[in-house]
Amino acid sequence: MIDKSPNKVIEDLGDGLVMRSAVREEADALAEFCAKVFIDEESGTEAYWIAEWIRDLVGKPHPTLSLDDVIIVEDVEKGRYASTTTYLSQAWSYDGVEFEIGRPEIVGTHRDYRNRGLVRKQFDVMHRWASERGHDVQIVLGIPSYYRQFGYEYALYAEGGRQTSIHTFPRWGDKEERKFRLREPTVDDVPFITKILNESAKRSLVSPVFREDEIRYMTFDRTERSAVCHRTAILCRSEGQVFREPIGVMMYAMVTPIDLGGILRLEMSEPRYWRKALPSALREFVELADKASNQDPSPERAIKSVRLDMQPDHPAFIFDDGALGQPPEHQYGWYVRVSDIAAFLRKISSALERRLEESFHAGFTGDLVLRFDRDTVKIAFEDGRVTDVVTHSAAYRNAVSSGWQTATARFPGTSFLPVLFGMRSVGETLLAHTDASAGSKSDRHLIETLFPKRSSDLMLTLT
């Protein structure tokens, strides 16, 4: 039964369509809608993985999602869903500086209601929420090129991209001593998991900030068939069949219908364990894959390949002896939107100052002027400290006679976002965009110092 409570209405869209928030009682109905909207057109398979995801988000208490942030466009005259999306709020970190993000997810419209601007209207609402809630950044993973129309740009790599045969992984020998083994997690492991993820996140330019309630939710409360569900295992020292202290965490998935296993995250509590314990962790993963294959009802199904979703510079790739395959030639990306770049630069100014302090530009005094298509942002420095970050429109810039007329650098369109978030270097941006420029040799080095290319690990985004 579709809820029609008037206090849930966000906006009347006309033509019998109403945009409203969800109620917990319609989790099953919304899951059924999403299963059909996201159907695999080739095979005709309904998207049960999306259905279970939205069923969890709506039907269960979630640590960061309010039901008011699950948007439904309903055809009230016909009593049916037309479109839906959700807006998740999270805390992330940029080089140690915490900031708030919003994540549109599960964006889908019934084919009878497409090409009517319903997604745009929902994004308008979510962008308004972002402004009201102080969300500096929005991020979404989805259809290639689609979200550019709403001001988004690929600016962070998504997924690690490696995939290899499971036969490249080492296996336990019959008489081999198992000094490190995986075990199932318990609720008592939540603080350990949270700590190790937050410590390992320091390797990344951008990463989620992990909270214990979120770790508990994604470890124990998600439905196994959900698109975002994974399993967690604790890597421990062992003596025979006895588990000793935990020294690592593995997040993994086994999808036997497509013969694929995945390692989403593998972390150690101390650097010295990578050399000592990684081979054991990989052997343990093979046993988990064998177990999943044996439990599948189809005798033809087995985990035959493994996808590695860690980023290319992950420490596991130093000590794997080639077992984890080769770096990918291509990685997909997260779409990113920053509505106010000046405000975000002010937020991360301490990171910019730290980069200057550790470089040949230590103590820099002067202005860095970045010109975009419509706006110009000036970052003022004094003795290596950010004293101001201001933005002006093209109209203002063209009206004044000095300061704003000559930009230090030019970044057309949204091309600055991949530089800001470390996905693309300044040099790569200059090659990709003929109308981009980075000023003098010293100016370019300053910009490269402030915004270096650096990887981020965002596979675990706590949804």
Side-chain angles (χ1 to χ4, degrees), residues 5 36 116 134:
S5 176
K36 291 179 169 57
R116 295 171 65 173

Side-chain angles (χ1 to χ4, degrees), residues 304-332:
K304 299 171 185 175
S305 60
V306 183
R307 195 177 77 184
L308 290 308
D309 282 325
M310 296 93 74
Q311 290 303 311
D313 56 356
H314 191 280
F317 301 132
I318 300 173
F319 301 103
D320 71 324
D321 289 331
L324 300 180
Q326 298 302 312
E329 295 182 359
H330 176 74
Q331 278 183 267
Y332 196 53

Side-chain angles (χ1 to χ4, degrees), residues 295-357:
Q295 291 177 341
D296 192 276
S298 172
E300 298 180 358
R301 296 269 68 92
I303 301 298
K304 299 171 185 175
S305 60
V306 183
R307 195 177 77 184
L308 290 308
D309 282 325
M310 296 93 74
Q311 290 303 311
D313 56 356
H314 191 280
F317 301 132
I318 300 173
F319 301 103
D320 71 324
D321 289 331
L324 300 180
Q326 298 302 312
E329 295 182 359
H330 176 74
Q331 278 183 267
Y332 196 53
W334 291 94
Y335 287 100
V336 179
R337 174 183 180 267
V338 182
S339 59
D340 188 339
I341 290 179
F344 185 68
L345 291 175
R346 283 193 292 271
K347 175 67 68 70
I348 63 168
S349 61
S350 61
L352 303 182
E353 292 170 352
R354 185 172 62 253
R355 292 168 186 170
L356 282 184
E357 182 64 26

Side-chain angles (χ1 to χ4, degrees), residues 224-237:
E224 186 168 340
R225 282 161 54 92
S226 164
V228 296
C229 183
H230 66 264
R231 303 174 189 177
T232 299
I234 308 298
L235 185 64
C236 300
R237 286 185 174 275

Side-chain angles (χ1 to χ4, degrees), residues 93-96 199-208 265 311 313 454-458:
S93 172
Y94 180 98
D95 204 8
E199 285 297 315
S200 65
K202 294 176 181 178
R203 295 194 309 266
S204 296
L205 173 60
V206 180
S207 66
R265 198 71 176 259
Q311 290 303 311
D313 56 356
R454 185 175 163 191
S455 69
S456 297
D457 194 335
L458 297 171

Side-chain angles (χ1 to χ4, degrees), residues 62-64 190 194 210-219 221:
H62 188 279
T64 65
V190 168
T194 306
F210 297 96
R211 316 287 194 197
E212 288 191 9
D213 59 340
E214 295 168 324
I215 296 298
R216 187 178 298 108
Y217 172 83
M218 73 178 189
T219 304
D221 294 341

